[in-house]
């Protein structure tokens, strides 16, 4: 392989960085999590719009309870990501407002944790609905 460094590929075999384009699902270095966050936010917004517009609905109480459980997982991941962002923000810049912003992001993470607790309570009660 002329030129670039060889490396193992996610699907097996070896590759080189010369003219290399990563395949779907393969991470080369780090990536900006904003794209994943945007995709998740868009998916949740579409679901909310579809439910409000009558294009989507829960068929059984168990389905609603399962949705609450999935939303709890979503909010838990959001709280984790917010804490990580709060830690990262002051390291990204020397701007003194970054510390203030990080504090507000930390508060948002705490709010997400409280929302998760409320979703777990609601899900527990919803599980008993017949």
């Amino acid at each position: 392989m002329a030129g670039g460094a060889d490396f193992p590929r996610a699907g097996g075999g070896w590759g080189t960085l010369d003219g290399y384009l990563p395949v779907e699902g393969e991470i080369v270095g780090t990536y900006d999590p904003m794209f994943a966050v945007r995709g998740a936010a868009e998916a949740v917004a579409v679901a909310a719009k579809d439910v409000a517009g009558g294009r989507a609905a829960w068929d059984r109480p168990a389905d609603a309870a399962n949705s609450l459980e999935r939303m709890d997982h979503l909010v838990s991941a959001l709280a984790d990501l917010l804490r990580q962002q709060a830690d990262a923000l002051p390291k990204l810049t020397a701007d003194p407002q970054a510390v203030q912003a990080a504090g507000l992001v930390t508060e948002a993470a705490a709010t997400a944790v409280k929302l998760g607790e409320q979703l777990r309570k609601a899900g527990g009660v919803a599980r008993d609905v017949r």
Side-chain angles (χ1 to χ4, degrees), residues 24-48:
E24 186 175 342
E26 184 174 24
I27 297 175
V28 177
T30 62
Y31 69 96
D32 186 340
M34 185 268 309
F35 298 108
V37 171
R38 182 175 57 198
E42 288 172 359
V44 171
V46 167

Side-chain angles (χ1 to χ4, degrees), residues 80-102:
D80 289 343
L81 191 58
L82 286 166
R83 282 190 291 268
Q84 293 163 3
Q85 188 177 46
D87 289 343
L89 226 116
K91 298 173 188 171
L92 297 173
T93 179
D95 188 325
Q97 285 188 317
V99 173
Q100 180 185 4

Side-chain angles (χ1 to χ4, degrees), residues 5-98:
D6 290 342
F7 63 93
R9 293 183 110 171
W14 290 86
T16 181
L17 294 178
D18 285 345
Y20 176 71
L21 294 174
V23 292
E24 186 175 342
E26 184 174 24
I27 297 175
V28 177
T30 62
Y31 69 96
D32 186 340
M34 185 268 309
F35 298 108
V37 171
R38 182 175 57 198
E42 288 172 359
V44 171
V46 167
K49 182 179 174 184
D50 287 350
V51 169
R55 288 180 297 283
W58 293 276
D59 295 326
R60 306 171 298 138
D63 296 335
N66 289 338
S67 287
L68 289 168
E69 183 179 328
R70 300 311 317 162
M71 284 186 252
D72 175 36
H73 290 286
L74 178 66
V75 168
S76 176
L78 177 61
D80 289 343
L81 191 58
L82 286 166
R83 282 190 291 268
Q84 293 163 3
Q85 188 177 46
D87 289 343
L89 226 116
K91 298 173 188 171
L92 297 173
T93 179
D95 188 325
Q97 285 188 317

